[in-house]
Amino acid sequence: MLCAPARTRLLPSFSLKTPQPLFRRLNSLVLRRNYQTPIKMSAQNQIVEHVVLFKVKPDVDSSKVAAMLSGLNGLTSLDLTVHLSAGQLLRSRSSSLTFTHMLHSRYRSKEDLREYAAHPEHVRVVTENIKPIIDDIMAVDWISNGATVSPKPGSAMRVSFLKLKENLGENEKDGVLEVIGGIKDQFQSIEQLSLGENFSHDRAKGYTIASIAVLPGAADLEALDSNAELVKLQKEKVRDSIESVLVVDYVIPPPQVANL
């Protein structure tokens, strides 16, 4: 589905599917993740980011939304993800693309992401819990240059997608990536900045550059926007290269208790 250009804020200035089966146990388990374990990367095995945005139909019963999120968060049981969380967006900063929920997951390789996508349990959740209740969906994947630890529950994320102007040269594109990469040095509250170029284009709506800024909590998102002069300076550096920007804010929910 094509979308109209989005006018919004850039990341503090970028605003303008088959291995192991899902184990089923009778008892309730708390899905625990080691949120501070460093993620080891190499040239052959880098961290792959996977972000999916959902727009849930306005008249959907809340129990069906809860089932969708429970099914998605339950996929942490697959031995494929380094990190996975799904929940309601804190806010969507786009005027034309208004999403309501987000899935964020990380993988050690593109192959792990492909296996996750084809896994029967993932396919079941998509077919039974997601497709019937959404109006729109968008997915972006990239190899991260800055994902070093899995973010903790309660951490806030500013997720930014950039659609570059057509026929933009490599020098201009590299300039955009350089500006985004330097944001962490300008905003000390950013604990982690993941940045890269999208490699899955079918559901990305034309957005080609993605970034995630991880902060300690929701209040820190507002602090990013409070330095108006610095925000304006960062915008001006990339304005001529960008057609549109999509920005969403998200807070990682606590691990769910689920019957597997």
Side-chain angles (χ1 to χ4, degrees):
M1 180 183 298
L2 298 177
C3 61
R7 293 175 59 87
T8 183
R9 305 183 219 181
L10 293 159
L11 188 201
S13 78
F14 293 135
S15 197
L16 235 197
K17 294 179 164 196
T18 354
Q20 224 170 316
L22 181 66
F23 293 112
R24 300 190 175 276
R25 300 183 178 92
L26 296 178
N27 58 315
S28 294
L29 297 175
V30 176
L31 301 175
R32 297 185 177 90
R33 308 295 293 172
N34 187 350
Y35 294 99
Q36 290 300 314
T37 301
I39 299 172
K40 297 180 179 180
M41 293 185 288
S42 67
Q44 295 79 25
N45 189 24
Q46 295 179 321
I47 287 300
V48 174
E49 301 273 24
H50 176 61
V51 172
V52 184
L53 298 176
F54 310 95
K55 182 179 180 180
V56 173
K57 297 175 181 177
D59 57 346
V60 169
D61 188 272
S62 60
S63 64
K64 293 183 178 181
V65 178
M68 178 186 76
L69 296 177
S70 177
L72 287 170
N73 282 305
L75 296 174
T76 54
S77 295
L78 304 179
D79 287 342
L80 292 167
T81 62
V82 173
H83 166 79
L84 185 149
S85 77
Q88 186 171 356
L89 289 174
L90 181 64
R91 66 179 63 88
S92 177
R93 296 176 176 270
S94 169
S95 60
S96 60
L97 289 172
T98 54
F99 293 100
T100 59
H101 295 76
M102 188 177 94
L103 165 77
H104 171 233
S105 52
R106 286 176 171 173
Y107 306 84
R108 294 180 179 85
S109 66
K110 289 184 179 180
E111 179 60 29
D112 282 354
L113 174 57
R114 284 191 291 267
E115 291 185 4
Y116 160 86
H119 194 283
E121 186 63 18
H122 174 263
V123 174
R124 184 195 67 78
V125 171
V126 171
T127 303
E128 296 180 6
N129 302 122
I130 298 177
K131 287 185 176 181
I133 70 168
I134 63 169
D135 275 336
D136 198 7
I137 189 170
M138 173 178 171
V140 179
D141 305 313
W142 70 97
I143 297 175
S144 174
N145 69 341
T148 55
V149 297
S150 294
K152 299 177 293 184
S155 297
M157 292 182 168
R158 177 156 293 174
V159 183
S160 302
F161 299 135
L162 280 64
K163 184 183 296 185
L164 302 181
K165 292 183 177 178
E166 290 187 16
N167 303 318
L168 200 67
E170 288 298 316
N171 288 339
E172 289 85 355
K173 181 170 67 175
D174 290 344
V176 173
L177 291 167
E178 183 178 355
V179 170
I180 301 172
I183 286 174
K184 190 173 186 298
D185 295 331
Q186 301 294 326
F187 296 87
Q188 300 303 313
S189 59
I190 297 177
E191 297 178 330
Q192 187 178 152
L193 181 64
S194 174
L195 169 66
E197 292 187 57
N198 174 49
F199 60 79
S200 299
H201 301 287
D202 290 348
R203 296 187 298 167
K205 299 184 184 293
Y207 290 88
T208 55
I209 293 180
S211 67
I212 296 177
V214 181
L215 302 101
D220 299 283
L221 291 169
E222 301 304 325
L224 287 181
D225 300 321
S226 63
N227 192 331
E229 289 302 317
L230 185 54
V231 167
K232 182 179 179 181
L233 177 62
Q234 299 299 316
K235 286 182 184 179
E236 291 299 327
K237 291 179 181 179
V238 297
R239 186 180 301 276
D240 292 339
S241 298
I242 295 175
E243 178 182 330
S244 65
V245 181
L246 171 61
V247 180
V248 298
D249 291 340
Y250 173 73
V251 176
I252 301 173
Q256 71 175 26
V257 175
N259 292 324
L260 300 183

